[in-house]
Amino acid sequence: MLIDTYGRVATDLRVSLTDRCNLRCSYCMPEEGLQWLSKSTLLTDDEIVRLVRIAVTLLGITEVRFTGGEPLLRPGLVGIVERCAALEPRPKLSLTTNGIGLKRTATALRAAGLDRVNVSLDTLRPDVFKTLTRRDRHHDVVEGLEAARDAGLTPVKVNTVLMPGLNDDEAPDLLAWAVEHAYELRFIEQMPLDAQHGWKRDGMITAGDILQSLRTRFELTPEGDQARGSAPAERWLVDGGPHRVGVIASVTRPFCSACDRTRLTADGQVRTCLFAREETDLRGALRSGAPDEEVARIWKLAMWGKKAGSGLDDPEFLQPQRPMSAIGG
């Protein structure tokens, strides 16, 4: 069991498969990209599967989410999913992706055992998409979403970040579109995870702003804390249901007290929080020949020291040393 000193138990594992991405979203990385991790430092497919197996069989993990960077860029992704789906007890398996390449891989991923996907899409307007991501790939994401839904990777969740002066007027249109296509839309407050450290709290689009905008067109009924559980998103029924919309308010409404997540970076480091500044090396233990029980012990010790909160509510908060592309969203 991965328990911390505040009594929280981690049952949800986020695994970054690569730090690379084929978009250059302005809230994540600079236009020229980043200095990527060397191949030798990345976990191999076998090492990833072994760590997931240790987490599931020895540490009580029940859900695994594959992230990046962009996980669809990982050549062995389908095989990793298939091997993790064969574990006993079988964990729930999901993927967070930008959707580019999902059209050609959705069916294979579903056959391998993937349960569902989260797809990032911030706008319905191709020109705004190009401005935000610095790539002209809006149609690929839309087609990827359709392929995921048709392959049965449901519920398909769409993650959206609203940026001032770019797409902050699109919330109602995005929700109407998501309802029409049977996607579950989730708005995410912009977080300080950009490599260029350009994030500013002042002027960001808050959960309150988003809800106020949505209520100009929709009736929203809160599901409440009991239905939410440890999920990061607060959810509302749209016009009485059955469709829902969520808001992940990491900055203005932190949910640290209910956090049930542990994270593995693409180079094999444990992070107890997305905003943590400390990491614990598991790759070194794997490559030095440590048995599963020793790797599990190191992981438990890392989680025992998890802090009470993210630190985002501290006005002196310093940005993480590594950008989101390296640690997984």
Side-chain angles (χ1 to χ4, degrees):
M1 180 183 295
L2 292 171
I3 189 169
D4 64 34
T5 54
Y6 299 92
R8 296 168 298 191
V9 178
T11 57
D12 186 333
L13 169 62
R14 308 295 171 95
V15 183
S16 175
L17 298 181
T18 179
D19 60 328
R20 297 175 184 265
C21 189
N22 42 12
L23 296 180
R24 296 292 181 270
C25 297
S26 58
Y27 51 78
C28 183
M29 68 171 72
E31 185 172 3
E32 65 273 15
L34 300 167
Q35 183 175 351
W36 308 121
L37 296 169
S38 65
K39 186 175 181 180
S40 63
T41 64
L42 293 174
L43 292 173
T44 67
D45 292 1
D46 287 344
E47 288 171 336
I48 290 169
V49 173
R50 183 184 172 195
L51 286 174
V52 173
R53 176 172 54 77
I54 290 170
V56 169
T57 61
L58 297 181
L59 297 173
I61 292 296
T62 59
E63 298 187 34
V64 178
R65 172 89 59 84
F66 298 110
T67 70
E70 174 44 52
L72 292 181
L73 295 179
R74 178 87 186 201
L77 173 61
V78 172
I80 291 171
V81 170
E82 186 173 31
R83 293 167 67 185
C84 291
L87 294 172
E88 292 292 343
R90 185 198 189 282
K92 295 179 181 178
L93 299 175
S94 59
L95 178 81
T96 294
T97 171
N98 62 29
I100 297 174
L102 193 53
K103 180 180 178 180
R104 69 174 184 273
T105 56
T107 299
L109 287 168
R110 184 71 182 102
L114 192 70
D115 295 306
R116 63 171 192 83
V117 293
N118 286 25
V119 180
S120 298
L121 181 64
D122 301 320
T123 178
L124 298 176
R125 306 193 294 250
D127 59 325
V128 176
F129 182 92
K130 187 174 181 180
T131 299
L132 278 167
T133 68
R134 306 181 179 107
R135 299 290 187 270
D136 188 14
R137 305 296 297 273
H138 186 269
H139 63 287
D140 292 312
V141 181
V142 172
E143 290 179 352
L145 278 160
E146 293 171 352
R149 182 193 60 207
D150 294 345
L153 293 169
T154 56
V156 175
K157 296 184 179 181
V158 177
N159 293 340
T160 296
V161 176
L162 296 180
M163 302 288 287
L166 287 173
N167 62 339
D168 53 344
D169 61 335
E170 286 195 70
D173 290 339
L174 281 159
L175 181 53
W177 168 81
V179 167
E180 178 186 355
H181 293 278
Y183 305 138
E184 184 175 321
L185 183 63
R186 307 194 314 168
F187 292 96
I188 304 176
E189 288 183 336
Q190 184 193 4
M191 295 178 283
L193 292 168
D194 56 315
Q196 58 271 42
H197 293 183
W199 179 85
K200 297 186 186 309
R201 186 184 295 263
D202 294 340
M204 65 170 284
I205 309 301
T206 67
D209 298 329
I210 295 165
L211 293 170
Q212 182 178 8
S213 178
L214 293 177
R215 286 183 171 124
T216 63
R217 195 182 306 181
F218 301 96
E219 179 184 345
L220 302 181
T221 306
E223 280 195 325
D225 292 340
Q226 185 173 1
R228 179 183 183 183
S230 61
E234 295 179 77
R235 298 200 307 179
W236 287 260
L237 293 174
V238 179
D239 291 339
H243 298 288
R244 293 171 172 81
V245 64
V247 178
I248 299 177
S250 300
V251 178
T252 62
R253 304 181 187 181
F255 41 86
C256 301
S257 63
C259 181
D260 65 348
R261 283 165 291 288
T262 183
R263 299 175 183 272
L264 279 175
T265 67
D267 54 350
Q269 311 300 304
V270 172
R271 291 179 72 93
T272 60
C273 173
L274 188 60
F275 303 101
R277 296 185 63 83
E278 301 85 20
E279 297 177 338
T280 301
D281 181 30
L282 294 186
R283 184 191 64 209
L286 292 181
R287 295 183 180 178
S288 67
D292 289 356
E293 291 75 15
E294 174 61 13
V295 175
R297 186 193 68 80
I298 296 170
W299 203 333
K300 285 180 181 180
L301 188 61
M303 292 302 296
W304 183 250
K306 183 173 181 173
K307 295 180 179 178
S310 65
L312 281 175
D313 54 352
D314 184 347
E316 301 300 320
F317 174 77
L318 296 175
Q319 302 208 13
Q321 295 175 340
R322 296 216 271 174
M324 184 161 54
S325 63
I327 61 182

